[in-house]
Amino acid sequence: MMIPFNKPHIAGNEFTYIERAINNGKLSGGGEFTDRVQEYFTDRFKFPKVLLTTSCTDALEMSAILARIKPGDEVIMPSFTFVSTANAFVLRGANIRFIDSTPDHPNIDPCEIHNVINEKTRALVAVHYAGVACDMDRLIEYTSERNVLIIEDAAQAIDSYYKSRPLGGIGHFGTFSFHETKNIGCGEGGMIVINDEEYYKRAEIIWEKGTNRSAFFRGEVDKYGWVDVGSSFLPSEITASFLYAQTEKIDEILNKRRSLWNRYQDGLMHLEDLEVSLPSMPDYATNNGHIFYLLLRTEQERDDLIRFLRNKGVHAVFHYQPLHKSSYYKDFHDGRELPMAEKFATRLVRLPLYYDLSINEQDYIIDSIGQYFSVSL
Ligand SMILES: *Cc1c(COP(=O)(O)O)cnc(C)c1O
């Protein structure tokens, strides 16, 4: 028996909707299911404008184009994040100013902003790690004087909130992922949310390869052509129809994930007596059950636990390696130490968490962790 780290969940109507997309005779993007998914997200979360993309990576690249990032501009983001958060801006010539995580949570530490913000700072990316909100009010407060755009990397944050506001809907732009490892998915997929009306038109143009095709189809212009830069950010109807089936079951999927998350929390609570930490949850944030992790006492212990669980048939994994020390970026980094990012990189372990994980399997994982620490949990 091997309990995998992740297993994509099939909600039920995927085949039905893919078949309908085929019967519609339109497989490229922008058809019935693209519209339905976009409507679903604007209705449910009151996002003012959303565009489906082929990935969150693409949604981040769209936001870098929308923000008119140019060579020499600086963009602030956490070091403890996925490479796409940084790549999107590096591709446009930006210098990345990596800052540290908070001591209690991998999210960006607002207190670190003053160390790097300057007249070249153009944007700040707030990555909501594990679907837990960054302290948005403070990020906005510490950047507002300088006209810095805020982009939320909400890849992990579907249906999660900051002071009752849905994540992805607070900054200038928000980006989501529907990769198979996220709470709802379609293999590869994503979405950009545009919260400031000033950017709606240009977002559609960038999305449609730099053309005003969307305006043309609405009858707003009588010809369409190349009007700006852009790329192929629009997913096919096959992808959108699959994703539509997932949106139908979003509450059930998220409730199950939250309940598994809570069972880990209850089952592993006593590890805190050994100074092994469980995830911390600020009171302004909600939990969408995306990731459950433990923070071990040392890197050695983290690696030993992963090995121990592997031998027990449980696939647990660590997470991001700090980007400021990556082989690609280390020579561009400004040299500041980021000890919290390194702490989470070396001591964090994620446990299996997915819709189809059974209670028995979860109990087995919890017992195995108890065995590792020689305590009964
Ligand atoms: C998953 C993830 C991404 C990338 O999403 P894709 O849809 O795979 O491109 C970006 N940022 C974060 C924080 C992620 O977790």
Side-chain angles (χ1 to χ4, degrees):
M1 183 185 76
M2 186 76 196
I3 301 174
F5 173 68
N6 179 61
K7 219 189 254 183
H9 173 64
I10 302 303
N13 284 331
E14 283 85 350
F15 282 121
T16 312
Y17 293 147
I18 289 172
E19 192 177 2
R20 182 138 120 224
I22 293 168
N23 291 336
N24 281 346
K26 177 174 170 61
L27 295 181
S28 62
E32 175 191 349
F33 287 102
T34 306
D35 290 348
R36 284 173 78 166
V37 174
Q38 291 179 172
E39 266 167 44
Y40 172 81
F41 286 112
T42 49
D43 288 353
R44 171 154 181 152
F45 298 112
K46 306 287 172 268
F47 291 146
K49 170 104 184 147
V50 312
L51 295 169
L52 276 190
T53 59
T54 47
S55 62
C56 182
T57 301
D58 266 359
L60 286 159
E61 286 179 27
M62 270 189 75
S63 37
I65 299 172
L66 272 172
R68 298 187 189 276
I69 299 296
K70 57 183 191 315
D73 286 350
E74 293 191 3
V75 178
I76 300 173
M77 66 182 66
S79 175
F80 190 77
T81 185
F82 191 56
V83 287
S84 295
T85 318
N87 257 327
F89 300 91
V90 168
L91 280 167
R92 313 222 54 83
N95 296 324
I96 308 298
R97 303 303 302 273
F98 289 114
I99 64 173
D100 215 354
S101 301
T102 70
D104 299 334
H105 193 278
N107 280 346
I108 197 168
D109 189 343
C111 302
E112 297 289 315
I113 292 173
H114 73 273
N115 291 325
V116 293
I117 196 165
N118 64 57
E119 63 287 349
K120 288 186 250 168
T121 309
R122 185 72 190 116
L124 176 143
V125 190
V127 181
H128 303 298
Y129 183 76
V132 175
C134 294
D135 192 346
M136 295 306 291
D137 284 347
R138 289 176 74 210
L139 296 184
I140 292 164
E141 182 189 334
Y142 294 170
T143 54
S144 58
E145 277 166 33
R146 292 197 188 253
N147 220 10
V148 171
L149 295 180
I150 301 221
I151 296 149
E152 296 177 74
D153 181 342
Q156 306 173 9
I158 196 77
D159 197 33
S160 211
Y161 298 79
Y162 172 76
K163 299 183 180 173
S164 311
R165 298 174 68 188
L167 300 185
I170 303 168
H172 292 82
F173 318 124
T175 64
F176 288 90
S177 174
F178 303 117
H179 187 266
E180 70 170 26
T181 51
K182 302 304 198 288
N183 283 11
I184 62 166
C186 52
E188 303 278 355
M191 173 169 82
I192 183 168
V193 178
I194 295 123
N195 295 311
D196 183 335
E197 198 174 358
E198 183 189 331
Y199 297 94
Y200 292 176
K201 272 223 169 79
R202 190 157 180 258
E204 277 185 349
I205 289 167
I206 293 166
W207 188 59
E208 283 276 28
K209 304 153 186 94
T211 72
N212 54 352
R213 191 166 172 273
S214 301
F216 173 73
F217 280 113
R218 284 196 301 265
E220 293 165 14
V221 292
D222 51 15
K223 267 203 292 247
Y224 89 81
W226 188 14
V227 296
D228 204 330
V229 295
S231 191
S232 184
F233 290 121
L234 172 64
S236 85
E237 279 285 290
I238 304 288
T239 296
S241 57
F242 191 105
L243 187 57
Y244 188 67
Q246 296 261 312
T247 63
E248 288 183 330
K249 217 176 148 186
I250 189 170
D251 290 312
E252 194 181 327
I253 294 170
L254 269 78
N255 287 337
K256 175 75 186 286
R257 293 186 74 108
R258 287 188 189 103
S259 91
L260 289 166
W261 196 99
N262 290 331
R263 285 190 90 253
Y264 271 136
Q265 171 85 17
D266 294 344
L268 296 168
M269 202 163 57
H270 292 298
L271 290 182
E272 300 215 296
D273 304 341
L274 306 172
E275 285 171 13
V276 171
S277 317
L278 307 191
S280 77
M281 207 42 87
D283 53 14
Y284 51 71
T286 60
N287 181 13
N288 69 352
H290 181 56
I291 293 177
F292 190 90
Y293 61 84
L294 297 174
L295 196 66
L296 281 303
R297 293 169 292 199
T298 62
E299 179 171 16
Q300 177 74 45
E301 183 177 59
R302 192 272 307 268
D303 294 344
D304 286 347
L305 176 63
I306 290 176
R307 213 172 303 118
F308 180 85
L309 291 174
R310 188 69 70 104
N311 289 333
K312 291 250 158 207
V314 176
H315 191 192
V317 295
F318 56 84
H319 213 177
Y320 305 126
Q321 296 310 293
L323 296 181
H324 73 287
K325 289 203 151 174
S326 61
S327 63
Y328 178 65
Y329 212 80
K330 63 180 190 306
D331 297 335
F332 303 114
H333 178 61
D334 55 33
R336 279 167 313 109
E337 299 278 336
L338 306 176
M340 294 304 134
E342 291 192 41
K343 173 178 84 172
F344 292 110
T346 51
R347 287 163 45 192
L348 182 147
V349 57
R350 294 177 292 159
L351 303 179
L353 180 57
Y354 47 90
Y355 184 91
D356 296 297
L357 182 70
S358 72
I359 298 297
N360 283 343
E361 288 170 324
Q362 192 182 30
D363 286 342
Y364 176 80
I365 297 166
I366 293 170
D367 284 347
S368 302
I369 295 170
Q371 277 173 36
Y372 175 80
F373 288 103
S374 309
V375 289
S376 114
L377 293 170

